[in-house]
Amino acid sequence: MKTLFTALMVFASTFLGLAQTADQIINDCNEVTGGKKWETVTAISMKANIEQQGMKIPFELVILRDGRMCAKYSIQGMEITQSAYDGTTLWSTSFMTQKAEKSDSESTENHKKTIGEFPSALNTYKSMGHSVSLEGEEKVDGVDCYKIKMTKKPQLIEGVEVPNIEYYFIDKDSKALIMIEAEIMDGEMKGKIAQTKFSDYQEVNGLFVAYSLYQGIKDMGGQTITFEKIEINPVINEEIFKYKGEN
């Protein structure tokens, strides 16, 4: 009986240890990039180039703590808003008509569920109610990483709630975030694994941010985004967020 009790205690402490370890790993990751300094950040502005098929496409992203955001790029002399949220409406620029168009209600609802993940889900997962667990260790491009599973609120796909799970790969040595993976739940790439890789961390106002991102589909290639300028708490022209189409 004593042996069984001891075994159960060891199992319980091991299980709890894994949960605590996941939290600690994330805490270490947040600390090396700025820790509590992130709490003073209300806005981030990023200017970059997207490298795609031998072309460099200028890209700009502005995100605010309150959830407003605007991502736009320039191509063939045209400025296209890829995605923007003004606090009420999620919208984008139609490439064909060059006019602002509202996103569908499902996309808007899914976006609203991400408000509060500022600057990322790693910083605010507890207040958002996301759960995390340590899934083990894996190599990412030769780097030994912790693999952490984060379970978020379900997404809506065609009116049905589906799991919303992401995997975060954190460098065991530097504690920096190296990659995020998530299964694509709809569209032509449904079932494929989306990857975002982070590199070239640089200091900005006492915070460390990745100046290079790789976004793509696992084993299928993707595109690199190289940031040229990142500003913390800049003056923002709030007109960029506002939906300018017909109601």
Side-chain angles (χ1 to χ4, degrees), residues 29-39 206-208:
C29 177
N30 290 334
E31 283 298 317
V32 299
T33 59
K36 290 188 176 296
K37 289 182 180 179
W38 284 112
E39 297 175 9
L207 303 168
F208 286 86

Side-chain angles (χ1 to χ4, degrees), residues 64-201:
L64 304 186
R65 183 174 289 277
D66 65 13
R68 286 178 293 169
M69 57 80 65
C70 179
K72 59 184 179 180
Y73 61 91
S74 300
I75 186 170
Q76 297 177 354
M78 297 182 293
E79 188 174 89
I80 307 292
T81 298
Q82 183 182 50
S83 181
Y85 180 69
D86 61 12
T88 303
T89 303
L90 183 69
W91 61 278
S92 61
T93 301
S94 167
F95 191 81
M96 298 297 295
T97 66
Q98 285 293 289
K99 294 182 178 180
E101 294 183 350
K102 287 184 178 180
S103 300
D104 59 55
S105 58
E106 194 166 86
S107 296
T108 302
E109 184 63 27
N110 285 333
H111 175 77
K112 287 181 177 179
K113 290 181 179 181
T114 68
I115 295 174
E117 295 181 354
F118 182 90
S120 79
L122 284 180
N123 298 83
T124 60
Y125 71 97
K126 288 183 179 179
S127 61
M128 294 292 293
H130 304 333
S131 63
V132 297
S133 61
L134 178 59
E135 299 294 295
E137 301 177 8
E138 285 189 22
K139 282 186 180 292
V140 177
D141 297 332
V143 177
D144 291 324
C145 295
Y146 294 112
K147 180 180 181 180
I148 293 177
K149 177 181 179 181
M150 184 180 294
T151 304
K152 303 182 177 183
K153 298 173 184 177
Q155 298 182 81
L156 285 174
I157 303 294
E158 297 182 354
V160 178
E161 288 191 341
V162 299
N164 187 6
I165 297 171
E166 294 179 341
Y167 292 91
Y168 290 74
F169 296 80
I170 296 173
D171 187 336
K172 290 181 64 179
D173 292 328
S174 72
K175 312 302 181 187
L177 176 64
I178 299 297
M179 181 174 72
I180 300 175
E181 284 190 340
E183 182 180 350
I184 298 172
M185 304 304 291
D186 67 337
E188 295 181 359
M189 293 292 132
K190 182 178 180 179
K192 303 292 185 182
I193 303 299
Q195 292 182 326
T196 302
K197 296 182 180 181
F198 305 82
S199 60
D200 190 21
Y201 279 85

